[in-house]
Amino acid sequence: MSKRQIEIFTAGCPVCEPVLQLVNETAGKDCEITLHNLSEQCESKICVSKMKEYGVTRVPAIAVDGKLLNCCTNIEITKEDLVNAGIGSC
């Protein structure tokens, strides 16, 4: 049985830390966890290419076996959201 691949995308901030801790506490011995700290942009830039490949638009985000979890998809700030909030009219 192969290990489940868990990738965590973070910015190394206080908002991300509890999610990282939760994954570490929940993952079993058959899980391999890779941390992609986007604020440090790893030397090989693999974290940035993985972010684009998976469609990560916010952090923290988690991918399991190469697929972004549903809770981490389709949530991004759009210009329409800003305009609807009154930004741009001030």
Side-chain angles (χ1 to χ4, degrees):
M1 183 168 121
S2 62
K3 290 190 175 222
R4 177 157 286 164
Q5 301 296 314
I6 301 170
E7 295 173 271
I8 305 170
F9 295 85
T10 179
C13 66
V15 173
C16 296
E17 287 305 314
V19 173
L20 179 59
Q21 184 177 348
L22 179 63
V23 172
N24 283 322
E25 290 171 357
T26 306
K29 65 181 182 331
D30 290 325
C31 296
E32 183 174 318
I33 299 172
T34 303
L35 179 64
H36 298 295
N37 187 335
L38 299 173
S39 67
E40 294 176 356
Q41 294 194 20
C42 52
E43 194 173 309
S44 68
K45 302 291 187 209
I46 188 77
C47 54
V48 175
S49 63
K50 290 274 189 175
M51 176 193 80
K52 291 176 182 175
E53 177 186 339
Y54 297 156
V56 172
T57 57
R58 67 178 180 95
V59 291
I62 301 167
V64 177
D65 294 333
K67 185 175 187 301
L68 198 60
L69 297 183
N70 287 338
C71 60
C72 303
T73 61
N74 298 327
I75 300 174
E76 65 180 315
I77 298 169
T78 65
K79 184 173 181 176
E80 183 179 345
D81 292 329
L82 300 177
V83 170
N84 289 340
I87 298 174
S89 62
C90 46

